[in-house]
Amino acid sequence: MPGQRDPGRGCRDRGTAVPLISAAAPRAINRAAELVKAGRLVAFPTETVYGLGGDATNERAVAEIFAAKGRPRFNPLIVHVRGLAEAERLAVFDDHARRVASRFWPGPLSLVLPRRGDSGLSLLASAGLDTVAVRAPAHEIAQALLRETGRPIAAPSANRSGRISPTEATHVFEEIGDRIDLILDGGRTPVGLESTVLDLSDETPVLLRPGTVTSEQLTELLGPIAAPAEDRPKSPGMLASHYAPSLPLRLEAVSAQFGEALLAFGPEAPPGFAEVQWLTSTGDLAEAAANLFAMLRRLDRPLFTGIAVMPIPEQGLGRAINDRLRRAATRPL
Ligand code: TXA
Ligand code: MG
């Protein structure tokens, strides 16, 4: 029956038409906001990747997010807000935190901070931790949705857990289109990599996930920043294997192996690959980041034996690109 819940798996038997609409359509944002307020799930674009959003104060909506993604419940979600004032109602900001937020928000930076006792947030959203990750996205559609909803929105990337993050609405549809109520199509997401995650809940800031806001920029503002401890990932989502395509991924490739497709970086590519997609022909790291996930998806076809990637400089945004590539190249245990 359409709309009926499957209590066992927390999914919906939709039985209805494709839930993908243009964000520019009349009342699209309003419809999405009504759904979120009713505890339903909506995918929407941010400047980084598409998010799978639900009311962060609604325990059941948050549980549905975990179910739709097949995400382990120990992995907390990022809570999206309009800006610093809203974030301060959810988390405890000190001077450091305020300084970073004022400098980089709205934008692709998530801050892990002590969670306020009176935040009203779902406990599951932060997976039972006493911290919460908050972020004010810069994307106009995300901001409009937050404004119309009037509530914090919990939103992980809108892909099945462990898979490549979506940078186009059709990616979301392919991944989880049958599990959610609406996808707001706002075109390609401009940044293309998930936000930088910075943990400010302890004495020394820890960079949990590299992104467009680089460690160089953060160090300039905050002083020394630590890398997460290798043995015990503080960010439960930063597992060694993530963003995984189905095909094997080979990094630092300088020549072709039989049947491989290539992700090329820079003006020239080695010969002999079955297909080549150019992350950037000029070496522009922002362009490469924006193209990375869509191109990985495009090449992830049984037609090829694997995907090779040319070396990418380990500096600035290149660090975030290489971080995602290393995780994508690590096969699940
Ligand atoms: O760009 C982004 O951040 C996108 C868009 C939709 O905003 N969202 C996103 O969410 O990438 P997700 O769930 O795919 O990644 C969130 C990361 C995970 O690695 C998670 O473990 C970490 O943030 N995280 C969330 N809350 C945390 C907390 N309280 N402590 C430590 N890590 C946390
Ligand atoms: Mg994700």
Side-chain angles (χ1 to χ4, degrees), residues 187-207:
R188 287 183 60 178
T189 59
V191 172
L193 289 184
E194 307 82 354
S195 63
T196 304
V197 180
L198 180 70
D199 185 352
L200 292 176
S201 66
D202 268 334
E203 205 79 346
T204 312
V206 182
L207 186 70

Side-chain angles (χ1 to χ4, degrees), residues 176-239:
I176 49 170
D178 57 338
R179 318 272 320 221
I180 61 179
D181 293 300
L182 190 73
I183 302 168
L184 281 176
D185 187 351
R188 287 183 60 178
T189 59
V191 172
L193 289 184
E194 307 82 354
S195 63
T196 304
V197 180
L198 180 70
D199 185 352
L200 292 176
S201 66
D202 268 334
E203 205 79 346
T204 312
V206 182
L207 186 70
L208 296 179
R209 181 170 73 182
T212 337
V213 175
T214 60
S215 57
E216 289 91 339
Q217 286 173 299
L218 293 168
T219 306
E220 203 178 299
L221 201 67
L222 298 173
I225 290 174
E230 284 283 329
D231 51 335
R232 200 174 61 91
K234 185 132 194 245
S235 196
M238 294 308 280
L239 305 173

Side-chain angles (χ1 to χ4, degrees), residues 238-278:
M238 294 308 280
L239 305 173
S241 170
H242 211 99
Y243 314 102
S246 306
L247 288 179
L249 196 66
R250 191 165 65 83
L251 307 184
E252 312 278 338
V254 290
S255 61
Q257 289 183 2
F258 176 76
E260 271 183 336
L262 179 72
L263 278 180
F265 184 95
E268 277 166 52
F273 286 94
E275 186 172 325
V276 179
Q277 292 274 325
W278 245 277

Side-chain angles (χ1 to χ4, degrees), residues 44 46 48-52 69 71 74-78 80 108 110 112-113 125-126 129 131-133 135 137 155-159 165 193-197 199 208-209 234-238 242-243:
F44 62 97
T46 78
T48 57
V49 299
Y50 275 78
L52 170 60
K69 279 184 62 90
R71 180 176 179 117
F74 58 76
N75 189 6
L77 308 179
I78 294 173
H80 295 67
S110 301
V112 174
L113 294 166
S126 33
L129 301 174
T131 55
V132 60
R135 154 162 132 83
S157 50
N159 49 280
S165 294
L193 289 184
E194 307 82 354
S195 63
T196 304
V197 180
D199 185 352
L208 296 179
R209 181 170 73 182
K234 185 132 194 245
S235 196
M238 294 308 280
H242 211 99
Y243 314 102

Side-chain angles (χ1 to χ4, degrees), residues 120-150:
L121 289 173
S122 138
L123 284 174
L124 185 55
S126 33
L129 301 174
D130 53 11
T131 55
V132 60
V134 281
R135 154 162 132 83
H139 200 288
E140 201 183 311
I141 296 167
Q143 279 288 337
L145 181 63
L146 285 161
R147 192 169 55 239
E148 287 270 326
T149 308

